[in-house]
């Protein structure tokens, strides 16, 4: 078995690159951000403020999160409902970064994520996969790109989804979210000591996917 951990800031291309690399390698792709997003969606729908840690913590017990795959695509199931269509808005992104600070939220998802990795070859992406969720992952990559490039990519992605947005606002949201994800006390975003840094600012998607596969191949050969 081989686990690949991919961490990095918002919009660095983690999900696109990890999904394509998983396809090529025949691994299962696990998007952990989508699980945090589903939890944030629950709190938004219930009118629970993302800044209210006590209320968020109290509600955690009412939430059941699981993932399923349809035609190779990950579906996040929140209390029995596939919520994939509702978790990609900017409102959900910001609320997700807010609630991901809370230990109760992280503890809830940690076991689910570890259990997935225990039984299959997976590529898992997030913020704390190499440092906390899968510290023994055989391959670790820290994916990053400049804030301008990441905002451009997010803008294009949102436009393709038919979501109206402003590129400068997206950039400010990304910077704010990065700061919050890096500065929090519980499992902050940071490069694991044994992770390979991959800056995708000037790489095509195909080149970035190949770079990840090359890192995997060299780890596999060495291990
Ligand atoms: O990767 P993403 O943009 O879907 O993640 C949304 C938010 O979820 C991100 O701002 C921080 C949080 N997150 C986290 O704290 N830990 C993870 N493993 C994945 C996501």
């Amino acid at each position: 078995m081989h686990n690949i951990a991919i961490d990095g800031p918002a919009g660095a291309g983690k999900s696109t690159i990890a999904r394509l690399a998983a396809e090529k390698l025949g691994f299962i792709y696990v998007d952990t951000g989508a699980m945090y997003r589903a939890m944030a969606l629950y709190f938004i729908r219930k009118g629970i403020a993302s800044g209210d840690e006590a209320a968020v913590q109290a509600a955690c017990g009412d939430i059941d999160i699981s993932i399923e795959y349809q035609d190779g695509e990950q579906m996040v199931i929140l209390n029995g409902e596939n919520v994939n269509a509702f978790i990609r808005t900017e409102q959900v992104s910001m609320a997700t970064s807010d609630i991901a600070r809370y230990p109760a939220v992280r503890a809830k998802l940690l076991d689910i994520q570890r259990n997935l990795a225990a039984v299959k070859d997976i590529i898992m992406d997030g913020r704390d996969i190499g440092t906390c969720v899968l510290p023994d992952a055989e391959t670790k990559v820290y994916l990053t790109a400049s804030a301008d490039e990441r905002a451009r990519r997010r803008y294009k992605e949102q436009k393709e989804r038919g979501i109206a947005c402003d590129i400068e606002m997206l950039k400010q949201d990304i910077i704010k979210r990065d700061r919050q994800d890096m500065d929090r006390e519980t499992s902050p975003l940071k490069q694991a000591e044994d992770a390979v840094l991959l800056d995708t600012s000037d790489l095509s998607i195909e080149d970035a996917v190949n770079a990840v596969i090359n890192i995997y191949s060299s780890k596999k050969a060495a291990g």
Side-chain angles (χ1 to χ4, degrees):
M1 250 204 4
H2 194 111
N3 289 334
I4 303 177
I6 306 215
D7 291 302
K14 296 187 299 295
S15 55
T16 307
I17 292 160
R19 186 162 27 79
L20 292 170
E23 250 172 47
K24 283 197 175 181
L25 294 171
F27 279 33
I28 302 281
Y29 167 53
V30 181
D31 171 359
T32 62
M35 298 179 191
Y36 284 96
R37 286 171 180 274
M39 290 194 71
L41 179 69
Y42 178 88
F43 300 126
I44 291 171
R45 284 176 169 178
K46 289 282 174 192
I48 296 170
S50 59
D52 187 345
E53 180 172 6
V56 165
Q57 185 174 339
C60 274
D62 303 329
I63 304 176
D64 182 62
I65 303 272
S66 60
I67 62 172
E68 288 175 11
Y69 291 87
Q70 268 175 29
D71 302 324
E73 200 194 334
Q74 174 184 295
M75 308 286 149
V76 189
I77 313 296
L78 166 65
N79 293 340
E81 176 193 359
N82 173 1
V83 291
N84 267 33
F86 310 113
I87 58 175
R88 300 287 162 194
T89 63
E90 280 305 297
Q91 184 200 12
V92 172
S93 297
M94 275 319 302
T96 305
S97 178
D98 289 343
I99 58 119
R101 288 175 293 163
Y102 303 141
V105 169
R106 305 204 71 83
K108 186 167 181 82
L109 297 179
L110 186 62
D111 282 346
I112 303 173
Q113 293 164 2
R114 284 194 176 146
N115 289 341
L116 286 164
V119 290
K120 295 200 174 90
D121 287 334
I122 52 123
I123 298 190
M124 186 176 281
D125 83 1
R127 302 293 186 287
D128 61 336
I129 311 306
T131 52
C132 172
V133 180
L134 305 175
D136 297 329
E138 288 80 0
T139 300
K140 296 182 186 178
V141 180
Y142 190 86
L143 264 190
T144 191
S146 68
D148 280 320
E149 181 56 28
R150 291 188 284 127
R152 263 196 297 277
R153 290 177 189 170
R154 215 5 88 94
Y155 178 73
K156 197 167 155 245
E157 202 177 87
Q158 297 295 63
K159 250 180 85 177
E160 279 164 11
R161 289 195 179 110
I163 300 172
C165 54
D166 173 87
I167 193 160
E168 193 47 40
M169 265 173 61
L170 278 180
K171 186 177 162 190
Q172 292 316 317
D173 276 2
I174 280 178
I175 290 170
K176 185 169 170 218
R177 205 141 67 87
D178 286 351
R179 199 176 303 128
Q180 188 157 285
D181 295 342
M182 288 172 177
D183 289 350
R184 70 180 176 221
E185 270 177 45
T186 314
S187 304
L189 167 64
K190 67 165 189 266
Q191 185 179 343
E193 275 175 20
D194 50 350
V196 177
L197 177 68
L198 183 60
D199 188 324
T200 67
S201 303
D202 299 319
L203 293 184
S204 66
I205 291 172
E206 197 189 351
D207 287 346
V209 172
N210 287 333
V212 168
I213 290 176
N214 287 341
I215 296 166
Y216 157 78
S217 303
S218 61
K219 294 283 173 189
K220 200 169 176 217

